[in-house]
Amino acid sequence: MLLAIDVGNTQTVFGVYREGLLRHRWRVATNKHHTSDELRVKLAPLLASEGIETSDLAGVALASVVPQLTEAWRTAAVRMTGREALVCSAETAGALFATGYPNPREIGADRVADAVAAKALYGAPVVVVDFGTATNIEVIDAEGRFAGGVIAPGVETSAQALFSRATKLGAIDLVDPHTAIGSNTEQAIQAGIVYGEADRVDGLVRRIFDQLGYRAPVVATGGLAPRVAAQSRTITATNPELTLEGLRLVYEAAEGREGRSEEATT
């Protein structure tokens, strides 16, 4: 079994793959102060709930945007499986991730995994919109190369900033208000945040299409993707497992490269 871990600033998503298929998936809050021991204690009950022991795991694929947790999870992976985790990056993705980006090392692991999975599943060109702590837009051009993208404040990040600075506005559920003209404060906030995010994404995607000179499928992923994608006029598909799929593909490609390298030395 393969354990895929997508560590975001706000949430961490775990996925267990067996024979190339995602069998189990969990989403938990990210705690940036957890040690490797605490991470293993946090993960073990989730695995146990599905009858899985850490000894059943053959490998770990990791995408992390939190440096201190990257190291903690690497240590935890060795203790759980006896093997180093495959840490996703532009480098470890190898031929799966072609780019003309001036400095590929600065591309976040989640962005690499999203781009790899989107190209494999939807072809090229393709655009990914990842709704997380930040709203990331990744652009894979018609030649299958990662061209770059957009990084903007995420839905909940923007909402929290509003609630913390506007003392008379309380936190609300970020759902479709079914009206663009709010008849109360709650509806007005929901329209501004949910519809505003959808329209912002649509506007950015149209600018991307104009710059590319052609249109492309647009795939939404991330925790809030279903809510916002439903209001978008440019998003054509929603795939909550996109990042995990990218991690699986990068891991399997790296395992293949390692196997070929071992054969060449024997």
Side-chain angles (χ1 to χ4, degrees):
M1 294 184 188
L2 169 67
L3 173 65
I5 308 173
D6 174 23
V7 182
N9 285 293
T10 305
Q11 295 182 326
T12 296
V13 182
F14 303 106
V16 173
Y17 284 86
R18 186 173 67 247
E19 297 177 351
L21 297 177
L22 182 63
R23 306 294 185 173
H24 309 287
R25 179 175 176 269
W26 303 275
R27 182 182 296 272
V28 301
T30 297
N31 186 326
K32 298 180 181 180
H33 303 291
H34 273 163
T35 65
S36 62
D37 290 332
E38 289 170 322
L39 293 174
R40 286 189 294 133
V41 169
K42 186 175 187 177
L43 176 62
L46 299 177
L47 296 174
S49 69
E50 299 295 342
I52 303 170
E53 297 183 5
T54 55
S55 58
D56 296 327
L57 302 174
V60 176
L62 174 66
S64 173
V65 297
V66 185
Q68 62 267 40
L69 288 181
T70 304
E71 294 308 310
W73 273 117
R74 291 182 69 176
T75 300
V78 172
R79 292 178 178 174
M80 288 188 296
T81 69
R83 299 183 59 187
E84 290 282 345
L86 185 285
V87 180
C88 182
S89 68
E91 181 179 6
T92 58
L96 296 180
F97 187 78
T99 182
Y101 217 73
N103 183 11
R105 291 185 178 183
E106 73 178 29
I107 305 172
D110 53 340
R111 301 180 74 195
V112 173
D114 284 346
V116 168
K119 180 181 174 182
L121 296 175
Y122 302 94
V126 64
V127 175
V128 178
V129 185
D130 192 338
F131 295 98
T133 303
T135 294
N136 293 339
I137 302 180
E138 326 302 352
V139 181
I140 296 84
D141 64 21
E143 285 70 47
R145 297 171 64 83
F146 177 81
V150 176
I151 301 175
V155 180
E156 291 185 338
T157 302
S158 299
Q160 289 169 4
L162 174 64
F163 299 145
S164 66
R165 292 178 179 273
T167 55
K168 290 187 177 182
L169 299 180
I172 61 164
D173 290 333
L174 298 178
V175 298
D176 182 1
H178 301 291
T179 176
I181 304 173
S183 58
N184 55 51
T185 301
E186 181 173 334
Q187 286 184 341
I189 294 173
Q190 290 168 336
I193 294 175
V194 178
Y195 293 165
E197 180 70 3
D199 289 350
R200 178 176 69 167
V201 167
D202 286 345
L204 289 169
V205 168
R206 292 189 184 102
R207 286 178 178 270
I208 288 167
F209 289 166
D210 287 345
Q211 185 169 336
L212 290 175
Y214 46 80
R215 298 177 66 85
V218 180
V219 184
T221 192
L224 287 174
R227 300 186 193 183
V228 181
Q231 314 307 323
S232 168
R233 293 180 172 86
T234 59
I235 292 173
T236 56
T238 301
N239 189 333
E241 283 82 41
L242 195 69
T243 310
L244 296 179
E245 282 295 310
L247 286 174
R248 178 185 67 82
L249 291 168
V250 171
Y251 179 87
E252 291 178 353
E255 286 289 288
R257 291 196 301 272
E258 182 177 322
R260 290 192 294 273
S261 177
E262 290 177 354
E263 291 176 2
T265 58
T266 57

